[in-house]
Amino acid sequence: MSDIMKFKDFLDEVTRRLPLFLTQYELNKIHVEEVCKNNGIICTSLVVSLRNENMSPSIYMDCFYELYRQGTSIENIINKIVYEYENARKEMSNSDIVLPNKDNVKDKIFMRLVNYERNKTQFEDCPLVPYHDLAITFRYLVKNDENGIASAIVRNKDLEEWDISNEQLYDIAKDNTRRLFPPELRRLDDMLREYDENIDIPEDSGLHILTNQQHINGATYMVYEDIIKEFAQNNNSDVYILPSSIHEVLLLPAKEDINKANLEEMVKEINEYVVSPLEYLSDTVYKYDLREFCVKI
């Protein structure tokens, strides 16, 4: 184990040797960047830029370092990095990427729900709307195709440039989110059996999953209380809202035999042992009150 390089030394070695594997390109610069992701998680990326080309794919390095620690040689790792780099170039070349401007931005802004406390530092210069212990943030859709979704955070300076107020931003984003990423509400057992038909979930559990059709950042639909209101009315009951991750929430009719404290303990355990830190939303169990038509903690 003493021969294992530290992460910084590993990055230096990859950066030094990578040009020998990219001789077909006219390299401008290879450098390392730290990227702050959701919940303040820092990821390290390797950025390869070429002369006379604006396209600079980023390759996240944490997983490659783990391969190195498990015994994969530096040469094999660099071959994998080159393969990923060339795939990223191909995807970027084939993608219809549209940068924001005052004319097209209103069709591209959408909402994303995140944990407030874990993201408040990185969102100091960004518009957001507090929502209980969470925050509604705003992003600009760069691309949405078979290769995935790419977006950029909306910052206060963007609103000034686009001449959009915070109130307009929220209204635009709420409409666009529903159009760009339509909601999906299904029984949890039905959805899970699509992945494993033998999975053991009681059919009368009442659990439903609320997300979007892309199943990416679908917990945002917790903000659309009209969807939860209809679910509550159909079940003639208040509804517990369990934050499964940033990608979905679970809806559960609030029957008398259900203990909220037990649900909170279950959510905390799942967050600790199952949900990745990057996808964490909250430990809080929320409740939709059918009499007052609102979500409470």
Side-chain angles (χ1 to χ4, degrees), residues 80-239:
K80 292 177 184 295
I81 292 171
V82 170
Y83 177 79
E84 186 165 326
Y85 169 74
E86 291 179 338
N87 279 344
R89 278 178 53 82
K90 191 180 301 182
E91 279 189 19
M92 292 177 75
S93 298
N94 295 334
S95 294
D96 185 18
I97 295 177
V98 180
L99 297 178
N101 60 63
K102 190 172 182 179
D103 297 324
N104 68 17
V105 69
K106 290 185 179 180
D107 293 328
K108 301 291 185 179
I109 297 172
F110 65 97
M111 301 193 309
R112 182 175 289 179
L113 192 65
V114 299
N115 183 276
Y116 174 78
E117 193 64 31
R118 295 196 182 190
N119 291 281
K120 65 180 181 180
T121 302
Q122 68 183 101
F123 290 150
E124 286 177 350
D125 63 341
C126 301
L128 58 80
V129 177
Y131 187 80
H132 300 295
D133 59 334
L134 308 174
I136 302 168
T137 61
F138 303 92
R139 301 190 71 87
Y140 175 83
L141 186 65
V142 176
K143 72 158 187 150
N144 183 10
D145 57 28
E146 65 277 5
N147 294 317
I149 297 168
S151 65
I153 189 74
V154 174
R155 302 192 179 277
N156 293 328
K157 62 181 179 62
D158 296 323
L159 296 190
E160 295 178 12
E161 181 181 332
W162 301 331
D163 193 25
I164 297 176
S165 69
N166 286 351
E167 293 76 16
Q168 289 174 316
L169 178 71
Y170 178 80
D171 291 339
I172 291 168
K174 194 168 186 180
D175 288 343
N176 284 345
T177 303
R178 203 160 197 158
R179 174 178 57 82
L180 295 168
F181 309 106
E184 180 176 279
L185 177 62
R186 298 178 58 190
R187 284 172 50 138
L188 179 62
D189 57 335
D190 287 344
M191 180 173 287
L192 292 179
R193 285 194 180 95
E194 290 183 1
Y195 300 97
D196 181 0
E197 60 183 18
N198 297 316
I199 197 164
D200 184 21
I201 295 181
E203 293 190 4
D204 60 350
S205 68
L207 280 168
H208 283 63
I209 187 166
L210 177 59
T211 181
N212 56 36
Q213 292 180 8
Q214 290 84 353
H215 299 180
I216 299 173
N217 293 294
T220 303
Y221 272 101
M222 176 179 164
V223 174
Y224 292 76
E225 295 183 10
D226 59 311
I227 297 176
I228 303 173
K229 175 184 175 182
E230 183 177 355
F231 179 81
Q233 290 175 329
N234 289 341
N235 286 274
N236 193 29
S237 168
D238 294 344
V239 176

Side-chain angles (χ1 to χ4, degrees), residues 275-291:
V275 178
S276 77
L278 192 62
E279 297 180 338
Y280 170 85
L281 183 60
S282 175
D283 288 336
T284 302
V285 171
Y286 311 86
K287 190 175 185 180
Y288 182 81
D289 190 312
L290 187 54
R291 288 170 297 180

